Amino acid sequence: QVQVVESGGGLAQSGGSLRLSCVASGIFYINAMGWYRQVPGKQRELVAQVTRGGSTFYVDSVKGRFTISRDNAKNTVHLQMNSLKPEDTGVYYCNVVGGSAHWGQGTQVTVSS
């Protein structure tokens, strides 16, 4: 049984930091792991992603502020979010891609101005 479990998130002030973590189990081979963000009325947006080989992608709005990291042996991915802005607010979903895509339950991130 595949499980994708997120932790972290919460409330931060503008300029502050938060760290998201995600662990996947029940998946034999994982290619990409990443984080998506969803806000009301908008489509879910890819924020950051890292491949098994270590290649990374960041949406322009978070470049230089967020860092994604991954431990292949532990099937974990982290998102370190620094210099947070109110527009970073949203529900963050962990996405794990093996033979198919799997999603976590989402974790709320709220940044106050």
Side-chain angles (χ1 to χ4, degrees):
Q1 181 180 357
V2 175
Q3 284 190 315
V4 178
V5 180
E6 300 134 338
S7 60
L11 177 64
Q13 290 187 333
S14 182
S17 297
L18 288 172
R19 180 178 172 87
L20 305 182
S21 297
C22 171
V23 57
S25 60
I27 304 175
F28 177 71
Y29 181 87
I30 297 175
N31 184 7
M33 303 182 80
W35 293 91
Y36 284 70
R37 176 174 62 209
Q38 188 159 29
V39 298
K42 293 188 177 182
Q43 285 190 327
R44 196 172 291 188
E45 172 189 43
L46 177 61
V47 174
Q49 188 181 63
V50 57
T51 68
R52 189 174 188 86
S55 297
T56 57
F57 165 85
Y58 296 95
V59 68
D60 285 347
S61 61
V62 308
K63 286 180 179 178
R65 301 188 297 119
F66 290 12
T67 302
I68 191 168
S69 61
R70 171 176 175 172
D71 185 333
N72 289 334
K74 297 181 179 179
N75 284 349
T76 58
V77 63
H78 307 283
L79 186 66
Q80 179 66 42
M81 304 184 292
N82 298 330
S83 301
L84 283 163
K85 302 176 180 180
E87 51 264 44
D88 296 321
T89 295
V91 179
Y92 284 71
Y93 293 90
C94 181
N95 173 258
V96 177
V97 181
S100 57
H102 305 276
W103 295 91
Q105 77 283 0
T107 184
Q108 177 69 44
V109 170
T110 303
V111 183
S112 62
S113 57

